[in-house]
Amino acid sequence: MTVTELSPARAGTRAYKVTGPRVLRAEWAKFWSLRSSWITLAVAVVLLIALGSIASATYSPDATTQGGPPGPGSGEQDAVGLALLGVTFASLAVGVLGVLLSAGEYTTGMIRSTLTAVPRRLPVLWSKAAVIGLVILVLTTLGALAAFQLGTLGLDGEKIALSLGDDGVLRSLAGAGLYLALVAVAGVALGMLLRSSAGAIAVLVGVLLILPGLASLLPDSLYDNVNPYFPSNAGSAMYALHESSDALSPGAGLAVFAGWVALTLAGAAWRLLKSDA
């Protein structure tokens, strides 16, 4: 009789054991329960599609080509470059979303409940990064495809017009989605590392937008050597259709940018383990 009474209790204990998939499901539910998630995702996708479509629709062969994400480029416009003109602005939106997903819990104090439920701590960081990375990868890749397809309408008959079947087009569009997913993961890591939404957002904006400009103050020889390895420049190489002479290849750009993200994640993991909530 005693064994019969204890067995359900033991079974119940096993049923509620903290596991990686359960932490992942909890973070998934938490992500979609936040109003900021829906709003920021919508802003990112709208910016990506709208700016790319407008750039393609207003394209003029005689216009000087400038704009788009910071980083090296050939200075020549192409249909993919126009379609992805909104990547820079979308990267800020998804990066901020990543920061809010992690640092926001420190602001509200919810992190104490989270870490009480998951005492090993690190699964929380990995789950947050996995959830936002997957969501951003899917949505922004679809957004990049939509921006390109809408852009083809505005570029119909133009010399720079391309189709999805042309060499490098799908790779570039997928690269844009992957870049934005990694930016979102970096936002999560920065938020967990700094534990301040304002501070993490400031660092994110500084690294992606301000740092490349400040680097131009370096001596030319040093600038030429280090410029391709800045996060935003390495990231822009991931989705560039044509490889520039002063830029990394798409594969090398992915490796460098992923390395920066991994380094930030490592710092966030270290602080999560070593510091109190």
Side-chain angles (χ1 to χ4, degrees):
M1 186 68 176
T2 304
V3 174
T4 305
E5 292 176 354
L6 289 177
S7 295
R10 289 175 180 171
T13 301
R14 288 195 298 269
Y16 291 101
K17 182 180 178 181
V18 176
T19 63
R22 285 178 178 144
V23 177
L24 192 63
R25 285 198 297 269
E27 291 300 329
W28 177 269
K30 193 184 300 181
F31 177 81
W32 291 111
S33 68
L34 297 173
R35 186 182 302 173
S36 60
S37 298
W38 294 88
I39 295 174
T40 314
L41 282 174
V43 168
V45 174
V46 168
L47 285 173
L48 187 59
I49 296 175
L51 293 178
S53 302
I54 292 171
S56 299
T58 58
Y59 167 76
S60 172
D62 300 326
T64 302
T65 81
Q66 291 299 337
S74 63
E76 298 178 357
Q77 284 182 323
D78 57 69
V80 172
L82 291 173
L84 298 181
L85 193 67
V87 168
T88 298
F89 302 97
S91 69
L92 295 179
V94 300
V96 167
L97 179 58
V99 169
L100 294 177
L101 185 63
S102 55
E105 290 203 35
Y106 285 94
T107 302
T108 62
M110 187 177 179
I111 191 64
R112 298 185 184 89
S113 300
T114 298
L115 297 183
T116 299
V118 189
R120 291 176 60 190
R121 296 193 174 196
L122 285 184
V124 174
L125 175 60
W126 308 143
S127 296
K128 286 181 183 295
V131 165
I132 197 170
L134 178 61
V135 171
I136 297 300
L137 176 63
V138 172
L139 291 183
T140 57
T141 300
L142 293 175
L145 285 167
F148 179 80
Q149 290 293 77
L150 289 173
T152 59
L153 301 177
L155 295 175
D156 187 31
E158 296 288 352
K159 184 178 179 180
I160 67 169
L162 296 169
S163 67
L164 284 176
D166 288 323
D167 289 342
V169 171
L170 283 175
R171 189 268 305 159
S172 295
L173 299 178
L178 182 57
Y179 168 68
L180 291 171
L182 288 173
V183 171
V185 172
V188 168
L190 282 173
M192 197 70 77
L193 177 63
L194 301 179
R195 301 184 176 185
S196 165
S197 297
I201 291 171
V203 170
L204 181 75
V205 173
V207 168
L208 293 181
L209 297 183
I210 300 175
L211 184 60
L214 291 177
S216 63
L217 301 175
L218 295 172
D220 291 342
S221 57
L222 179 59
Y223 175 80
D224 293 339
N225 289 327
V226 302
N227 187 51
Y229 298 95
F230 288 124
S232 57
N233 293 344
S236 64
M238 292 170 56
Y239 56 86
L241 182 62
H242 302 295
E243 184 179 338
S244 175
S245 60
D246 59 348
L248 299 174
S249 66
L254 171 59
V256 171
F257 190 70
W260 282 112
V261 176
L263 184 63
T264 311
L265 278 171
W270 178 84
R271 186 170 190 197
L272 185 61
L273 289 174
K274 298 298 182 181
S275 301
D276 293 334

